[in-house]
Structures are given as C-alpha cells and as structure tokens.
Amino acid sequence: MKEEAKLQNLSDFENKSLLIVDDDNPFRERLARAMEKKGFEVFQAESVQKGVESVKTKKPGFAVVDLRLGDGNGLEVVKEIQSSNSDSRIIMLTGYGNIPTAVAAIKEGAIDYLAKPADAEDVEKALLADPSKKAAPPENPMSADRVKWEHIHRVFELCNRNVSETARRLKMHRRTLQRILSKRSPR
C-alpha cells in the first residue's frame, strides 16, 4: 500500500507568506486571489528580476514559481529563495513539463513540480503536503496523447515555429508534423 502525502494545516506554519512568480498575469492574479482565500499572505512578481527583489525584502515561507519567464529561468528565483530561507516550500509550475527540468527544480530546492494549468487546490495540496510521504497520484492526469502533443508543440516553439527544423529534431516527416500541428489538443 502506497503512503500518500498527508496535508499539514496552514496554521502550523509561522510564515504564511506566499510568493507567486509568473508572467501570465491573468493566471497569476486568479491564483493569488484563490490562495488569499485559503489563508496565505500573497505577494506577486511577473519576472525573475522582480521575483528576486521580492525575495530579498520579504523572505517567503512558500513560493509558486513558473519555470519559463520573460526575462529568464524561474530556477534563479528558487535559488534566491533557498539562500534567504532554506525552510521555504517551493512549487515549480510550467506549461512544458519534462524530466530534466523537474530534476533541476528539485535539486535547487523545489518540493514539487506541477504542469500548467494548475488550480489552487493542486497548488495548496503540493505546498502543504508532508515532505516525508509520497505524493498522491493526480486526480486528472494528462493523457499520453496530450503529453505527446505538448512535447511536439514545445519543440515547435523552441524552433521558432519552423516546421522543417522541428520535424528534423523530432525525427518525423514534415507532413506528419504539419498534420499534428493543425489538429486541436487532445484532452
């Protein structure tokens, strides 16, 4: 029988401040409002630079940091949080989940890694989970087709939306890639 992560209570923590660093303004605002309702003292930043500045002034007890930001990598903010408060609980968010970035996030001090779009319930569970227990499996994970679709689109964006270059890197025929790119995302 697998051990599931037991949720701790927010009132168990002295420092209830939560830093949300994300360049997607509507998502960040929505998440901030939801987390305030759950009892967190939320402050926000939309870039690596502003995130680092916020960490220096407020030393958050919790953080939700997007991996890819307009001016750099969210791992820089994670490093700054860890150096200012090693007890902080940090969650990495990204629209492009993959194993190397998840490993890098955990090595820098994040306690969990969530794919976007994550809702406030998932974020709260991850932030308050007992770190000595295994995390519960997600209620609604992405399908294998969706994961494949996300990966193809991530590589396509990294290749500056160049179909031929993307097809070469993915080792697939260009026409096959064009058909995949023209379809809607699977659920």
Side-chain angles (χ1 to χ4, degrees), residues 143-166:
S143 68
D145 289 335
R146 176 64 188 223
V147 171
K148 177 183 171 186
W149 187 89
E150 292 279 347
H151 176 67
I152 289 169
H153 276 76
R154 180 178 67 86
V155 174
F156 181 58
E157 290 297 326
L158 292 173
C159 291
N160 295 320
R161 304 179 66 80
N162 181 322
V163 175
S164 296
E165 177 66 12
T166 304

Side-chain angles (χ1 to χ4, degrees), residues 18-22 27 31 48 62-69 72-79 81-82 89-98 100-118 122-123 126-127:
L18 168 65
L19 170 62
I20 300 175
V21 183
D22 199 318
F27 173 77
L31 182 60
V48 171
F62 300 92
V64 177
V65 181
D66 189 10
L67 182 66
R68 295 175 94 198
L69 297 163
N73 192 319
L75 291 174
E76 295 174 41
V77 180
V78 173
K79 288 178 192 173
I81 294 169
Q82 280 299 98
R89 291 171 168 239
I90 306 163
I91 303 298
M92 289 299 298
L93 286 180
T94 188
Y96 306 102
N98 64 21
T101 53
V103 169
I106 300 302
K107 283 183 176 178
E108 293 300 335
I111 60 169
D112 208 343
Y113 189 90
L114 300 175
K116 277 180 156 179
D122 294 337
V123 171
L127 287 172

